[in-house]
């Protein structure tokens, strides 16, 4: 096992340091998540990316507890992110949604809490994630994300969360938040990889002092709605050829692509050997020419567009 260089981080408005590589937990199946978290912490990860909508935060919490109990880490060593789901956007529901995640994770505070999407859904009995009526029609709520943001600011004021931010927000939506905020957005978590380089969004965030996290950096090959004939980013000939040249895996090249653009990157795996290999992306760098080569693959391809949700505040397909 090769040694890993010290982990870089970005500083958030609170002064907290956000490690630049984190373990993604979306799509991690029940029974696999706890072992993945403990393996990640053992090999050096100190950043875990979670969400209520992933429906596995209790297992993430069990992994955290195991590593706290055996003395591998202290709570202050760990950076934990979670996300407010769309059914809890109404200001009266924000803190309850936050506490659901906090309790499942077994934590006393959150390092970063993001608004998962700018779109609000109706809160139904049983906390249904994607509420529909008996005819299958989506049940949306008219709460605006700026009102949700103001309620999230109270989490920081109460000391429940160090920083707050957004996810899947476009430039206009982020500007709307910047225009009304008392607590500055710390982060915008969005899909980024060589097929979706997001230069304009990254530039906008950087100009406004908002860090950017890249989810699905490997192209999300296990996303639930992927089709057999959908292209696979890790099989892209340019990515494969560059990996051979550098003596690295395609996944390591894609992770390093984000790190070398000063982005936080969130690869997901439940396989200990891949968790370790992903972390070892810290051990090398791409040249500026190699980064540009990968950026040249851009095709504005979204693996996680959720285009079937016809919400008026959809960040990618506004009505």
């Amino acid at each position: 096992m090769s040694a890993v260089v010290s982990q870089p981080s970005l500083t958030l408005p609170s002064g907290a340091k956000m490690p630049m590589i984190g373990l993604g937990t979306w799509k991690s199946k029940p029974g696999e998540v706890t072992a993945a978290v403990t393996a990640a912490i053992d090999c050096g990860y100190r950043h875990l990316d979670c969400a209520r909508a992933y429906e596995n935060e209790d297992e993430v919490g069990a992994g955290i507890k195991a590593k706290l109990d055996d003395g591998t880490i202290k709570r202050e060593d760990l950076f934990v992110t979670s996300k407010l789901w769309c059914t809890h956007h109404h200001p009266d529901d924000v803190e309850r949604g936050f506490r659901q995640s906090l309790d499942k994770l077994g934590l006393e505070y959150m390092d970063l809490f993001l608004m998962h999407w700018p779109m609000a859904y109706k809160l139904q009995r049983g906390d249904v994630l994607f509420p529909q009526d008996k005819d299958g029609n989506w049940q949306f709520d008219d709460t605006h994300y700026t009102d949700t943001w103001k309620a999230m600011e109270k989490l920081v004021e109460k000391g429940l969360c160090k920083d707050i931010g957004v996810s899947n927000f476009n430039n206009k939506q982020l500007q709307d938040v910047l225009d009304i905020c008392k607590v500055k957005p710390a982060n915008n978590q969005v899909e980024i990889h060589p097929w979706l380089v997001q230069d304009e969004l990254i530039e906008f965030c950087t100009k406004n002092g908002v860090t950017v996290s890249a989810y699905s950096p490997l192209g999300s090959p296990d996303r639930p709605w992927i089709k057999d004939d959908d292209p696979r980013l890790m099989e892209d000939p340019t990515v494969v050829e560059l990996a051979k040249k550098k003596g690295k895996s395609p996944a390591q090249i894609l992770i390093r692509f984000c790190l070398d653009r000063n982005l936080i990157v969130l690869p997901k795996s439940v396989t200990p050997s891949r968790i370790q290999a992903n972390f070892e992306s810290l051990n090398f760098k791409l040249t500026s020419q190699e980064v540009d080569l990968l950026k040249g693959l851009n095709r504005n391809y979204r693996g996680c567009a959720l285009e079937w949700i016809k919400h008026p505040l959809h960040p990618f397909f506004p009505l």
Side-chain angles (χ1 to χ4, degrees):
M1 186 181 296
S2 60
V4 175
V5 298
S6 61
Q7 190 171 175
S9 63
L10 296 181
T11 303
L12 302 186
S14 70
K17 304 288 187 181
M18 187 174 186
M20 289 186 69
I21 187 166
L23 179 73
T25 60
W26 179 42
K27 308 179 301 294
S28 295
K29 298 174 184 175
E32 299 177 338
V33 187
T34 299
V37 168
T38 56
I41 291 173
D42 281 341
C43 79
Y45 287 78
R46 294 296 179 265
H47 177 181
L48 304 173
D49 183 73
C50 316
R52 165 70 182 86
Y54 302 166
E55 299 186 278
N56 58 14
E57 288 185 312
D58 52 344
E59 294 198 29
V60 175
I64 292 172
K65 184 177 187 301
K67 293 289 98 181
L68 289 171
D69 289 349
D70 71 10
T72 302
I73 53 167
K74 298 175 182 177
R75 172 64 183 96
E76 58 266 28
D77 299 329
L78 206 58
F79 189 101
V80 182
T81 301
S82 188
K83 306 180 192 76
L84 180 76
W85 187 239
C86 307
T87 51
H88 285 76
H89 274 213
H90 191 281
D92 292 344
D93 299 322
V94 167
E95 185 170 331
R96 187 170 78 88
F98 170 84
R99 288 188 179 277
Q100 284 180 349
S101 289
L102 195 69
D103 292 347
K104 285 182 178 292
L105 290 164
L107 302 177
E108 293 183 355
Y109 68 91
M110 202 80 71
D111 295 278
L112 177 65
F113 194 56
L114 307 177
M115 199 184 319
H116 206 149
W117 289 84
M119 308 176 289
Y121 306 159
K122 285 191 180 299
L123 180 58
Q124 288 186 345
R125 186 175 181 180
D127 281 349
V128 178
L129 292 178
F130 294 95
Q132 300 177 38
D133 65 16
K134 58 182 176 58
D135 298 318
N137 300 308
W138 293 104
Q139 296 295 285
F140 299 139
D141 187 82
D142 61 4
T143 301
H144 195 269
Y145 47 80
T146 52
D147 293 322
T148 307
W149 182 263
K150 290 173 185 175
M152 288 174 62
E153 291 181 326
K154 295 177 182 176
L155 302 174
V156 178
E157 293 165 4
K158 291 180 177 182
L160 294 170
C161 187
K162 290 185 178 180
D163 287 280
I164 52 177
V166 297
S167 180
N168 297 301
F169 272 52
N170 61 36
N171 287 5
K172 179 190 177 301
Q173 292 166 335
L174 182 54
Q175 184 64 63
D176 288 342
V177 174
L178 289 166
D179 287 343
I180 58 91
C181 69
K182 291 191 295 181
V183 178
K184 186 174 181 178
N187 183 260
N188 189 9
Q189 185 182 128
V190 293
E191 181 178 353
I192 299 176
H193 44 69
W195 287 354
L196 184 66
V197 300
Q198 299 268 42
D199 269 345
E200 184 180 344
L201 179 63
I202 293 168
E203 182 180 354
F204 178 82
C205 290
T206 301
K207 182 180 74 174
N208 286 282
V210 179
T211 63
V212 179
S213 296
Y215 73 70
S216 297
L218 311 182
S220 194
D222 59 347
R223 61 188 184 273
W225 48 82
I226 196 168
K227 303 181 183 69
D228 289 342
D229 58 351
D230 280 347
R232 293 338 195 237
L233 176 59
M234 284 195 287
E235 296 173 7
D236 185 287
T238 301
V239 175
V240 172
E241 187 60 34
L242 184 56
K244 288 180 182 176
K245 173 189 168 186
K246 304 286 280 190
K248 304 297 178 183
S249 70
Q252 288 173 323
I253 294 296
L254 294 169
I255 293 166
R256 193 67 231 184
F257 171 72
C258 293
L259 292 171
D260 283 325
R261 300 176 71 201
N262 204 38
L263 305 174
I264 293 147
V265 61
L266 305 168
K268 171 260 173 182
S269 180
V270 295
T271 307
S273 60
R274 289 179 181 167
I275 290 171
Q276 175 70 37
N278 289 347
F279 194 67
E280 290 178 358
S281 301
L282 295 170
N283 280 342
F284 74 102
K285 290 188 176 182
L286 300 175
T287 67
S288 58
Q289 292 84 1
E290 289 165 341
V291 171
D292 287 343
L293 175 69
L294 293 171
K295 287 175 74 172
L297 301 176
N298 185 55
R299 54 172 88 173
N300 294 322
Y301 180 88
R302 293 184 186 276
C304 303
L306 272 67
E307 66 275 7
W308 55 86
I309 297 179
K310 309 300 183 185
H311 194 288
L313 295 178
H314 197 300
F316 317 133
F317 309 100
L319 297 180

